[in-house]
Amino acid sequence: MVAHGETDHGIAVRLGISEHTVHSHLDRLRDKIGSRRRADLTRFALTHDLIAASS
């Protein structure tokens, strides 16, 4: 959802969880890939075939 431009609030509403929980999950993902930027999460997803690139 991050890679598709969804906001933290939008992700929370869509998944039925709190925005704080979304932040916690994103922080853990950033720690695992060694980055602090949201764009790096998208790049990681694309390079590891977790989402399809738009044409």
Side-chain angles (χ1 to χ4, degrees), residues 4-25:
H4 291 284
E6 193 74 50
T7 63
D8 292 352
H9 176 76
I11 293 169
V13 169
R14 192 164 171 195
L15 296 178
I17 59 177
S18 74
E19 205 166 329
H20 176 75
T21 301
V22 172
H23 293 164
S24 295
H25 286 300

Side-chain angles (χ1 to χ4, degrees), residues 3-50:
H4 291 284
E6 193 74 50
T7 63
D8 292 352
H9 176 76
I11 293 169
V13 169
R14 192 164 171 195
L15 296 178
I17 59 177
S18 74
E19 205 166 329
H20 176 75
T21 301
V22 172
H23 293 164
S24 295
H25 286 300
L26 292 176
D27 285 343
R28 287 187 189 109
L29 285 169
R30 287 185 196 107
D31 288 344
K32 286 180 187 238
I33 69 168
S35 179
R36 297 305 304 165
R37 296 182 342 180
R38 197 173 182 93
D40 293 328
L41 294 174
T42 299
R43 186 175 304 106
F44 182 88
L46 287 168
T47 59
H48 290 85
D49 295 323
L50 300 175

